[in-house]
Amino acid sequence: MQDTVVVGAGFSGLYLIHKLRNLGFNVRAFEAAGDVGGTWYWNQYPGARCDVESLEYSYSFSDDLQQDWQWSERYATQPEILAYAKHVVDRFELRDAISFRTRVVGAEFNAAEGMWTIRTDRGEILRARYFIMAGGNLSMPRMPEFPGRDGFKGRLYHTGSWPHEPVDFSGLRVAVIGTGSSGVQVIPKIAEQAARVTVFQRTANYCSPARNLTLPQDKVEWYKRNYGARRERARYSGAGVAAHPVPLYSALQVPVEKRQEAFEAAWTRGGAGILRCFNDILTNPESNELLSEFVRNKIREIVKDPEVAARLTPTDHGIGTKRICVDSNYYATFNRDNVELVDLRQDPIVTIIEQGIRTESKSFDFDAIVFATGYDAVTGAMRQIDISGPGDKRLAESWAEGPRGYLGLLTSGFPNLFMISGPGTPAAVSNAIAAIEQQVEWIADCMLYMRERGYTQIDATPEAEAMWTDHVRDVANTTLMPRANSWYMGANVPGKPRVFLAYLGGLGAYRMRCADVAFMGYDGFKLTP
Ligand code: NA7
């Protein structure tokens, strides 16, 4: 019998298996994909890469691993990250714990026995004391319900479930719907190949240039010599990234020319760190507007056709309030003759037709349509599973008004059901691997504590859960982020409750809070012998 069933074999699931096995727990993981890697298994679209630098977006738990692995670029490509995940599974001999191409479809908790009964889509039924959700926060691709979609005669793709064979767009007329991080990455690549690319944009987005490069050997060696200190700094930082500056000043506190200099320097450095060139970009509307306008001006400089530039220029939200995109040649791609931009706010899609897409004003013929339309983020993967706690309490009902949880690690009424990268944790707004490591280690310590003291059940108290849920909301409300219609707010999924899904207090502060709660004997949790 298993002690522990884990859903998912991405970076959370792999580290969980490794960590818990080393503590003597018996772990079985289920993974819907054909191999490990989670989001990096599914997102095999051209141009897919991480928007956190590779020397930071990697495990820190094994110094041998971080010393041996060679990242080749500043921002790792999807194939390189997938190769890394495969290396980890082989290096730590984790593969035998994982059942691939198997989905967990349901789970019920038996209160008398203190055990979960877990069902898979292959008809397997298991019992386990601990049930751990490691299914990822960007793992449920969303395909909007445009009428006529199934009647399209050409090829349909979603960036989040891309074929594993190469896709050749040469000579084809391709539509791309969506201009978030995935669209911004895939559009320049398709434009290099296809005869014509038509981009359907609902919301113009801010992009910061990646300034990607082959990692210089001296930088890699410096990092490896200093990995201990870099990782420690990342662990206690806001976003789990050591290289992000820790700004001291408000954008309004410095003279105009100094501010411009700082904006230019951040633009030249590239990456999401541009949001940290001052300490109030995400909290003060005036500061935010200054940086937003700086980037708008960059768009106007890069894009030659002023009308296209205007359509690409975000005006309905401030920079960083939706996730900033880290791009390579996105805006410049609109200077190509084979690329056109349709603004869906001016000319919405009416229907998909056999030959392509019809908007209010026009019909377009396409050979392929690429949906870069994002995910049912953070809660989507968990809500796919029919979970019921004691007294037949259903998770879907418990979360009807929005997800709840204490520290985002357990949700009241569902004992021994741990969540990684769940709602109310900093994972979605941090270097995900740094956030994952902290949560895996907290859960493993908790399971060890329970085993050593003879506890068999842990549950969040309703009071602690209510306090944390309110705190997550209150912290979000000190920022500008809830104002935007982002996936962080659930705004991209029709009918999803409008709740900020991540904890914005920072990874370091969250880590300390979790550690204090454990130190106080798991304060806010009910432990049952
Ligand atoms: P995102 O960031 O959610 O982007 C999805 C894009 O698709 C975005 O531009 C959406 O416009 C657009 N979209 C979604 N639904 C529709 C419909 N119905 N019609 C037209 N356009 C639509 O997903 P990504 O995959 O790009 O990135 C997800 C995360 O992965 C990213 O933030 C990084 O953390 C990595 P909208 O802005 O909602 O108006």
Side-chain angles (χ1 to χ4, degrees), residues 206-207 267 274 291-299 319:
Y206 298 90
C207 301
W267 182 261
I274 194 169
L291 182 61
S292 299
E293 189 57 19
F294 171 83
V295 174
R296 290 183 199 123
N297 282 329
K298 291 291 180 195
I299 301 170
I319 189 165

Side-chain angles (χ1 to χ4, degrees), residues 138 144 146 178-182 202-203 322-323 344 372-375 487:
L138 292 161
F146 294 119
T179 54
S181 299
S182 304
R202 185 164 72 180
T203 308
K322 284 165 88 94
R323 180 143 173 151
L344 294 177
T373 44
Y375 298 86
W487 60 260

Side-chain angles (χ1 to χ4, degrees), residues 452-495:
E452 285 174 350
R453 286 164 182 77
Y455 292 116
T456 58
Q457 287 183 43
I458 182 167
D459 196 0
T461 67
E463 297 76 25
E465 175 173 278
M467 178 279 294
W468 186 253
T469 304
D470 290 352
H471 177 63
V472 170
R473 180 203 57 214
D474 293 346
V475 173
N477 285 340
T478 64
T479 76
L480 306 172
M481 295 184 73
R483 300 186 186 186
N485 290 321
S486 65
W487 60 260
Y488 295 131
M489 285 300 286
N492 62 326
V493 179

Side-chain angles (χ1 to χ4, degrees), residues 406-441:
Y406 181 36
L407 299 173
L409 292 164
L410 284 116
T411 175
S412 181
F414 299 86
N416 297 359
L417 172 71
F418 289 109
M419 301 176 280
I420 309 265
S421 305
T425 76
V429 287
S430 310
N431 170 359
I433 298 191
I436 284 167
E437 284 190 326
Q438 181 266 336
Q439 292 174 46
V440 168
E441 287 161 14

Side-chain angles (χ1 to χ4, degrees), residues 42-268:
W42 296 106
N43 278 265
Q44 303 215 5
Y45 62 84
R49 40 173 104 239
C50 191
D51 58 5
V52 177
E53 297 191 32
S54 55
L55 289 163
E56 307 242 18
Y57 186 83
S58 45
Y59 287 124
S60 71
F61 69 81
S62 159
D63 193 46
D64 287 347
L65 170 65
Q66 66 189 9
Q67 294 300 333
D68 287 353
W69 184 262
Q70 292 298 327
W71 292 109
S72 60
E73 294 178 55
R74 180 180 179 188
Y75 294 97
T77 58
Q78 173 275 329
E80 196 166 29
I81 302 172
L82 189 58
Y84 174 74
K86 289 181 180 172
H87 171 79
V88 168
V89 83
D90 293 338
R91 182 179 188 119
F92 297 103
E93 299 179 353
L94 310 175
R95 204 171 272 283
D96 61 318
I98 309 165
S99 301
F100 292 104
R101 299 188 198 285
T102 311
R103 268 181 198 282
V104 170
V105 291
E108 294 92 44
F109 188 75
N110 181 319
E113 296 174 348
M115 299 290 283
W116 283 96
T117 301
I118 294 144
R119 290 173 283 116
T120 74
D121 63 353
R122 290 177 176 257
E124 204 175 343
I125 297 179
L126 291 95
R127 281 152 48 80
R129 185 162 304 286
Y130 298 103
F131 182 36
I132 310 186
M133 298 290 130
N137 52 17
L138 292 161
S139 50
M140 281 289 304
R142 257 200 73 249
M143 209 57 151
E145 295 292 327
F146 294 119
R149 195 184 67 201
D150 296 339
F152 178 59
K153 291 274 191 259
R155 304 192 228 152
L156 272 187
Y157 301 98
H158 191 291
T159 47
S161 52
W162 199 262
H164 287 195
E165 321 61 68
V167 176
D168 187 1
F169 288 112
S170 304
L172 302 187
R173 299 156 303 173
V174 183
V176 181
I177 305 175
T179 54
S181 299
S182 304
V184 159
Q185 290 184 335
V186 81
I187 289 162
K189 291 289 175 190
I190 298 179
E192 284 169 14
Q193 235 187 25
R196 198 184 81 211
V197 180
T198 307
V199 176
F200 292 87
Q201 169 192 277
R202 185 164 72 180
T203 308
N205 241 327
Y206 298 90
C207 301
S208 171
R211 314 260 181 235
N212 190 43
L213 40 78
T214 304
L215 276 172
Q217 201 46 35
D218 56 343
K219 179 170 180 183
V220 174
E221 284 165 14
W222 181 87
Y223 238 91
K224 288 191 174 180
R225 275 198 309 279
N226 293 287
Y227 243 142
R230 299 301 288 174
R231 297 297 203 184
E232 199 56 11
R233 186 174 157 146
R235 286 185 191 113
Y236 287 93
S237 67
V241 178
H244 276 177
V246 182
L248 288 180
Y249 298 104
S250 155
L252 306 178
Q253 229 176 333
V254 296
V256 177
E257 57 285 3
K258 281 277 167 213
R259 185 166 62 227
Q260 198 63 15
E261 212 179 287
F263 286 167
E264 286 291 353
W267 182 261
T268 304

